[in-house]
Amino acid sequence: MKTLNFKRDKRKRQSPSPSTLLVTLTCMFALYVFWFIFVLTKLENFHVESDNEENSWSRIPQKVDELGRIGNAPIRESHVEESMASVAEEHQRDREGGTNDTKGSNKEQLPKSSFTQSFKTRIRKQLSEYHFDIDDAIRAVDSFPNRIKTLTAFLETTPFGNEIPNTRSRGVKRDPKDLGTPPQYTNPLPIRKTSPNDLIPVEYPKVDSCNDLQAKLPVDAGLIFDEKGQRLIPNTKNKRFTFNYLEEAKYCPVDADPFLPWIHDVFPSLNGDTIHFIAQNKRRCNTGSNFNEQLQRLEPQVALMQPVSVKILGDGDSVAKEVNDGLWSPASDEEEFIEGMPRYRLSSFEDADVELSRFICRFHTLELDHETGQTTDVIIGETFSVFPINYEFVNLRKRKATMLSPKGKDNGLFWLSNLRFDCPVPDNGNLRESIASGVTVLPDGTPTVYVDVVPIRTNPRFGMEQSHFNLDMVGEDFFTNKDRRRPAFSSYNKTNFGFDANLVFGQKHVLPRVEASGRWANIPICKAPQRPPTRLELENSGIESVHEMSVIRKVQDTTPKKPFTLTACVWASTTFHTRGGDRKVDDTMERTREWIEYHLLMGFDHIYVYDNSHANTNDADLKETLAPFSAAEVTRIEWPAIVCNNNLPAHENTGERSSQYAAESSCRQRYGQYTDWIAAFDTDEYFVPMGNYTNLKDMLLDAEAKGTNVLSFRSTRAYPNYYFMERYGDGGECGKKENPLCLKKRNNATFLETYNCDFLPLPKPDWSDRAKKQIYRPDYVLSHFVHYSTVTKGILATYKEKKSQGKAWSYWYSENKTSERFIDELQEAVMIHSKTTVPGNTKGYGKTCKLGFKGKFYEKCRVGFPIPNNIKIENATTPEGYEFNCYTNEKVTNLYVPKLREAMKMRAKKSLDLSTNLI
């Protein structure tokens, strides 16, 4: 056997020299320091959590370039620094008189925002009584950079961290009954130990005054087109499911911090004691299967609609001191500036000072120190938000088992689309009187009083059995589940109902100070929406009938009677795409003039137009269209908010026309107080008095006398009358001009007479209920959603209120048939739905409208051929062989169209005379 001999290497090992060793150690130390700083910076600035499902709502997955396109590069510090530098340069150019041309440049159309605060002020509590002084206010504003405190969202992205892993499931995709499995949480809810340095501030300098404030709020990225004129952020047929939340926070912060309400409008009450907020539930925007992460991330949007109770603590309270070690508090020399501000903790009903709230409202103003010349941010006071509607209570009485599901397909819960809340104004000196009078807004529109909205953050409550109710609201049987109602989710308790705040929150859950909380900061408090003048007031003023509200002095009402009987809200645009984006409609300007003229003739006192044009085009809006109408007839509200999802309702990613829903909510809250009846409908819908009525007011007065609060109009689509159309060719699908293949409305025909052609006779069938429209009493209907009176005074009646009246009370509520009913279409009124039939939809009418034609399901006749005398005769045709297929309203033909034509003629003459006089 061969033996292997391993001989020791006798060469001497070389030792490194001292200089080499020093260099090596220095390099290693430098690398370690670089790595440590890099990791620390990432954790402090971005709070990027681990890539597991429980923390998915705090991830920042992808980068969005300057045009809003999605890219694959992960976000880096340099991206934020570049964004900040870019925005700062844009702001500087604007201040130095940059170009005003906003057309054709994508960058110029981007909303301006940044991640930095340009100016900091010292904060102290207002200890003396508030007293508004115009001279002091002007001096304070003039000494402040940009004259206005910049609207800022402070993003709080740290998750609670109490969701138990692997307890949630979205459910089976194709099973509509499977709502998924909600997550389970550890109790009590962890105390949030955030500091101001943990928050990411994002500024919105576009909000530069109170002028058209609702049009400047950071609702979306605005209208951005690519080089081909296509939307860079499409809102139809969207398959997008990855988001860069931090980049998008420059335009709207809600996806980055879903506890911030998606505010579309804000304004004070007439008496100055309340600030009203109109918001939308952003979780409803995308509910398709590709949006799992976003649906989970946006669950707090529903939590904001679930009230909590709060105990007010003194700054030296024992509970506050006990948990103070982990909570942020101001450093040494700053402490005196917020000393004495109250602290708050979450509580049960029994311990609460504030029973049902969700936001802390901090009011503040600017004060100039005359000795130092420095501007000080003065806290006027803090209040807690109030819900005009208890959404959780409404959901119970609607017989719904949950306000949200893990699956997220909750679009049918229409009453949870809008979020309205109020911030009571502190009763401090003459603050309320000053806000009511409007003097706190300077003549140039600069606000001097602001409010911060601080959400109280808790996990959302899944299932009605977790609802935060007390005995007065629902009675004792609810809590013992005497009726043996099934919980929304099988994992929940079937015997003990009701939210246990002491279990979920504990008794020591002290909230962080406002400065350490994610929030909306510096929301301007502007003037209360004033009612327009009546026609009589305008005539007595001696002012010409031009659309100019400022020339009408505010009229003080001396009687409780409302100035208007019937008004309308309409959300309209010069051009728009139909649901699904299949067809572009651009006849709105012509339609709107006729539609307004007609409904003024029919008895409407005033019409509020929410102009959505700039959500669809950077060109014309409806100003010129509305110019011929007086301030007593029409009010225009600039409303550029974009529909977040314009898909069809039946699309897998269900459509959500957020802008329209918010506009209607705003209109009812702003102007419902001035009218007995109000309606929200479209410019292609005509309300037609029937029977002995020739005016809608008379019909409504009779209905009100019978106890009616809501009148519903069934809706069936009318089609254009062949005899008011002409052949049309556009060189495209409709053929050449010399050989046209389509039809379009004649220029000299009204829309009303053209579409007075319904394929169904009166009364309309029951299946047309779903697309109904309503006229309702705003004093009774507290929330309305397009087709439905979703919240009424009746549904808000509590167990205690009903029992005190000696009446029965049930969890389930339905409106009685006298209060809400369908209109008598033969004796009261009817609705003609004249939805535009674009020329391309008439192509092939020569074949599809012939008697006996049978084609494929999509080959339908979309042109009307009126039935003689509205008496249907089988197999009767026109001389050309077209089947008689539609019924006309003879009252429209013989009475209303002639009146409409005459009114439009007089309006045109008056406008011409006025223009001539101005020249």
Side-chain angles (χ1 to χ4, degrees):
M1 180 179 289
K2 186 176 180 180
T3 303
L4 298 177
N5 295 317
F6 292 91
K7 296 183 179 179
R8 177 184 291 264
D9 187 353
K10 302 201 179 197
R11 288 177 297 175
K12 219 175 200 181
R13 181 179 295 173
Q14 297 290 325
S15 299
S17 66
S19 60
T20 302
L21 183 61
L22 181 61
V23 170
T24 302
L25 290 174
T26 302
C27 291
M28 290 176 64
F29 181 78
L31 286 171
Y32 174 79
V33 171
F34 176 82
W35 174 84
F36 181 81
I37 294 174
F38 177 82
V39 172
L40 188 62
T41 304
K42 287 289 186 182
L43 290 174
E44 285 190 354
N45 289 342
F46 295 100
H47 304 281
V48 178
E49 302 294 332
S50 60
D51 196 31
N52 57 45
E53 188 168 345
E54 288 71 46
N55 291 328
S56 64
W57 72 275
S58 64
R59 296 206 304 265
I60 304 171
Q62 288 192 323
K63 181 182 185 295
V64 179
D65 68 16
E66 66 272 14
L67 295 180
R69 291 186 291 261
I70 298 297
N72 293 320
I75 190 163
R76 306 188 307 270
E77 284 181 293
S78 58
H79 291 156
V80 179
E81 292 167 358
E82 290 165 7
S83 298
M84 291 164 57
S86 174
V87 173
E89 289 172 5
E90 287 182 22
H91 294 172
Q92 186 64 31
R93 285 197 300 270
D94 291 339
R95 285 195 292 268
E96 293 174 356
T99 178
N100 292 323
D101 183 14
T102 61
K103 299 179 183 179
S105 172
N106 293 327
K107 286 190 176 181
E108 288 298 325
Q109 295 170 24
L110 292 176
K112 303 187 185 86
S113 60
S114 74
F115 292 92
T116 59
Q117 287 182 284
S118 58
F119 187 79
K120 291 184 178 180
T121 59
R122 305 185 79 187
I123 300 175
R124 71 174 180 83
K125 184 182 178 184
Q126 171 69 40
L127 300 177
S128 59
E129 186 176 87
Y130 176 88
H131 177 75
F132 180 80
D133 182 276
I134 185 66
D135 294 328
D136 285 345
I138 291 175
R139 281 194 289 268
V141 165
D142 286 343
S143 67
F144 195 75
N146 300 327
R147 294 175 50 81
I148 188 171
K149 298 171 72 173
T150 304
L151 177 66
T152 305
F154 287 91
L155 309 181
E156 184 175 334
T157 61
T158 307
F160 297 130
N162 68 329
E163 180 176 322
I164 300 175
N166 304 317
T167 57
R168 76 158 63 230
S169 166
R170 196 179 177 191
V172 179
K173 176 181 176 180
R174 299 186 181 279
D175 184 358
K177 293 183 179 180
D178 185 356
L179 302 179
T181 303
Q184 296 180 24
Y185 304 105
T186 58
N187 294 322
L189 179 69
I191 294 174
R192 291 156 45 224
K193 298 180 180 180
T194 52
S195 73
N197 290 333
D198 295 325
L199 308 177
I200 302 174
V202 187
E203 294 187 337
Y204 301 98
K206 182 180 178 182
V207 181
D208 56 1
S209 74
C210 278
N211 301 326
D212 281 335
L213 174 64
Q214 77 289 339
K216 300 173 182 177
L217 294 173
V219 172
D220 50 53
L223 190 62
I224 312 171
F225 295 110
D226 61 17
E227 295 79 4
K228 297 180 180 179
Q230 301 296 317
R231 288 178 184 262
L232 281 172
I233 304 177
N235 63 355
T236 56
K237 300 177 181 176
N238 39 330
K239 297 181 179 179
R240 179 184 183 212
F241 57 94
T242 54
F243 296 82
N244 187 321
Y245 301 115
L246 189 58
E247 283 288 325
E248 294 187 18
K250 291 189 236 177
Y251 318 123
C252 176
V254 177
D255 284 292
D257 185 351
F259 274 102
L260 297 179
W262 193 22
I263 299 171
H264 283 62
D265 200 5
V266 54
F267 49 88
S269 60
L270 283 176
N271 60 8
D273 67 357
T274 300
I275 308 301
H276 299 300
F277 288 85
I278 307 296
Q280 286 295 118
N281 175 2
K282 206 170 193 296
R283 188 175 189 252
R284 295 169 58 92
C285 284
N286 291 292
T287 58
S289 57
N290 286 335
F291 295 89
N292 186 38
E293 181 187 358
Q294 195 185 29
L295 280 166
Q296 181 178 337
R297 181 186 184 84
L298 288 171
E299 285 174 356
Q301 286 284 284
V302 183
L304 294 179
M305 308 176 90
Q306 299 170 331
V308 294
S309 298
V310 176
K311 178 75 174 176
I312 301 176
L313 309 174
D315 207 21
D317 187 276
S318 59
V319 174
K321 284 186 174 181
E322 187 176 341
V323 299
N324 198 49
D325 290 342
L327 293 175
W328 173 85
S329 61
S332 58
D333 62 331
E334 294 180 71
E335 189 169 353
E336 62 180 295
F337 292 100
I338 59 172
E339 183 180 4
M341 294 301 291
R343 305 299 302 278
Y344 312 110
R345 74 169 175 86
L346 297 173
S347 75
S348 63
F349 268 111
E350 293 74 21
D351 294 338
D353 295 308
V354 180
E355 287 193 343
L356 298 169
S357 185
R358 184 47 84 166
F359 303 98
I360 301 168
C361 309
R362 172 178 280 189
F363 291 78
H364 50 99
T365 186
L366 293 173
E367 184 179 86
L368 183 65
D369 188 321
H370 296 284
E371 294 182 2
T372 65
Q374 291 184 340
T375 302
T376 304
D377 193 3
V378 180
I379 299 174
I380 305 173
E382 291 179 356
T383 62
F384 281 89
S385 67
V386 176
F387 286 109
I389 297 166
N390 187 327
Y391 295 97
E392 200 166 38
F393 184 72
V394 168
N395 208 63
L396 171 73
R397 303 209 72 195
K398 293 277 189 181
R399 307 187 183 192
K400 299 303 177 183
T402 180
M403 292 178 71
L404 78 164
S405 66
K407 178 170 282 187
K409 299 294 290 184
D410 306 323
N411 302 78
L413 308 180
F414 304 125
W415 49 95
L416 302 182
S417 174
N418 304 124
L419 168 61
R420 282 177 30 221
F421 64 94
D422 298 333
C423 280
V425 175
D427 187 9
N428 186 338
N430 69 347
L431 177 62
R432 293 179 176 178
E433 293 81 356
S434 300
I435 291 174
S437 67
V439 296
T440 59
V441 179
L442 302 184
D444 65 351
T446 302
T448 61
V449 180
Y450 302 81
V451 62
D452 295 353
V453 172
V454 188
I456 299 172
R457 298 166 186 253
T458 65
N459 296 123
R461 299 193 285 265
F462 292 84
M464 66 176 175
E465 54 276 11
Q466 292 191 347
S467 300
H468 189 42
F469 298 148
N470 60 21
L471 291 172
D472 289 346
M473 296 166 68
V474 294
E476 184 177 356
D477 290 347
F478 171 83
F479 298 97
T480 59
N481 195 18
K482 184 177 180 180
D483 297 336
R484 297 184 178 181
R485 284 160 291 141
R486 293 181 60 186
F489 305 100
S490 59
S491 59
Y492 281 7
N493 194 308
K494 296 185 173 79
T495 55
N496 298 315
F497 279 23
F499 181 68
D500 189 341
N502 289 330
L503 172 66
V504 176
F505 299 147
Q507 296 182 329
K508 298 178 181 179
H509 191 105
V510 178
L511 301 176
R513 295 177 188 266
V514 168
E515 294 82 1
S517 301
R519 64 195 183 277
W520 278 111
N522 304 331
I523 299 173
I525 296 179
C526 300
K527 294 182 179 180
Q530 299 298 316
R531 78 161 174 86
T534 65
R535 296 183 209 183
L536 180 60
E537 290 166 351
L538 184 64
E539 291 171 4
N540 292 339
S541 71
I543 302 296
E544 292 289 344
S545 295
V546 294
H547 192 71
E548 193 60 56
M549 280 287 296
S550 60
V551 298
I552 306 299
R553 189 169 59 184
K554 179 181 175 182
V555 178
Q556 299 293 335
D557 294 319
T558 56
T559 65
K561 179 177 171 56
K562 293 190 176 184
F564 301 129
T565 300
L566 175 62
T567 58
C569 306
V570 61
W571 175 76
S573 173
T574 54
T575 182
F576 64 93
H577 281 85
T578 58
R579 283 184 181 269
D582 294 328
R583 296 286 185 181
K584 184 178 181 180
V585 179
D586 53 13
D587 61 6
T588 307
M589 289 187 280
E590 182 186 358
R591 268 189 176 278
T592 301
R593 279 192 293 267
E594 177 188 317
W595 183 87
I596 292 175
E597 195 72 74
Y598 170 81
H599 284 96
L600 292 174
L601 280 174
M602 294 301 106
F604 277 84
D605 294 306
H606 198 87
I607 295 173
Y608 303 96
V609 179
Y610 278 66
D611 189 350
N612 193 232
S613 298
H614 291 142
N616 300 286
T617 176
N618 289 317
D619 297 323
D621 53 30
L622 292 173
K623 282 182 182 178
E624 290 188 12
T625 301
L626 304 178
F629 299 97
S630 74
E633 295 170 318
V634 173
T635 295
R636 175 184 172 272
I637 300 92
E638 178 72 17
W639 196 261
I642 297 174
V643 168
C644 69
N645 185 337
N646 200 34
N647 286 334
L648 292 166
H651 193 280
E652 192 271 337
N653 186 29
T654 307
E656 179 77 2
R657 305 185 84 173
S658 53
S659 176
Q660 178 184 5
Y661 308 154
E664 181 180 2
S665 180
S666 168
C667 189
R668 188 221 157 272
Q669 184 68 45
R670 280 175 174 252
Y671 305 114
Q673 59 193 315
Y674 304 129
T675 186
D676 296 320
W677 294 84
I678 196 168
F681 56 123
D682 302 326
T683 56
D684 59 6
E685 295 168 329
Y686 291 80
F687 291 158
V688 179
M690 297 291 285
N692 294 325
Y693 296 109
T694 57
N695 185 292
L696 291 169
K697 278 186 183 177
D698 296 335
M699 183 271 295
L700 291 172
L701 290 173
D702 289 345
E704 186 173 356
K706 297 174 183 177
T708 301
N709 293 305
V710 183
L711 280 169
S712 298
F713 293 73
R714 290 187 172 94
S715 177
T716 56
R717 181 173 178 176
Y719 285 92
N721 187 327
Y722 175 78
Y723 300 105
F724 292 102
M725 305 183 79
E726 61 188 12
R727 297 180 70 189
Y728 172 75
D730 60 358
E733 65 174 329
C734 287
K736 298 180 179 179
K737 291 184 179 180
E738 57 271 19
N739 186 27
L741 303 176
C742 303
L743 298 172
K744 74 167 189 175
K745 182 184 77 68
R746 292 203 317 256
N747 290 334
N748 62 351
T750 66
F751 286 94
L752 180 59
E753 65 188 341
T754 301
Y755 286 89
N756 180 22
C757 193
D758 202 307
F759 284 7
L760 296 167
L762 296 179
K764 298 181 179 183
D766 291 344
W767 59 256
S768 62
D769 294 358
R770 188 178 183 279
K772 65 187 178 186
K773 289 299 174 72
Q774 298 181 324
I775 300 178
Y776 62 92
R777 294 183 55 240
D779 286 350
Y780 183 77
V781 177
L782 305 182
S783 181
H784 195 271
F785 179 89
V786 188
H787 309 290
Y788 311 106
S789 296
T790 52
V791 181
T792 65
K793 281 188 174 180
I795 201 171
L796 293 180
T798 64
Y799 173 86
K800 182 179 180 180
E801 290 168 347
K802 282 296 184 182
K803 290 300 181 182
S804 67
Q805 298 168 4
K807 297 180 180 179
W809 188 87
S810 170
Y811 302 122
W812 321 136
Y813 177 81
S814 59
E815 202 71 33
N816 74 65
K817 294 181 181 179
T818 300
S819 177
E820 180 176 343
R821 65 178 176 85
F822 280 96
I823 203 157
D824 185 330
E825 293 172 332
L826 297 176
Q827 300 303 323
E828 291 181 313
V830 70
M831 184 174 75
I832 294 177
H833 187 185
S834 65
K835 185 175 180 178
T836 296
T837 298
V838 296
N841 284 342
T842 68
K843 183 180 178 182
Y845 74 94
K847 176 179 66 172
T848 58
C849 296
K850 291 291 180 69
L851 179 67
F853 171 78
K854 292 181 180 180
K856 297 180 180 179
F857 73 94
Y858 56 84
E859 293 182 301
K860 297 178 180 178
C861 178
R862 292 182 173 85
V863 178
F865 296 87
I867 298 169
N869 301 317
N870 285 335
I871 300 174
K872 181 72 173 177
I873 300 175
E874 291 298 321
N875 299 324
T877 68
T878 68
E880 298 88 356
Y882 296 116
E883 180 182 5
F884 293 124
N885 59 7
C886 71
Y887 298 83
T888 57
N889 187 316
E890 296 304 315
K891 202 166 185 179
V892 168
T893 302
N894 300 324
L895 179 61
Y896 299 136
V897 168
K899 282 188 173 183
L900 173 61
R901 284 186 172 278
E902 181 62 24
M904 292 174 69
K905 180 180 177 181
M906 294 297 295
R907 178 84 59 185
K909 182 178 183 301
K910 191 172 184 180
S911 297
L912 181 61
D913 291 344
L914 182 60
S915 300
T916 303
N917 291 336
L918 290 175
I919 294 174

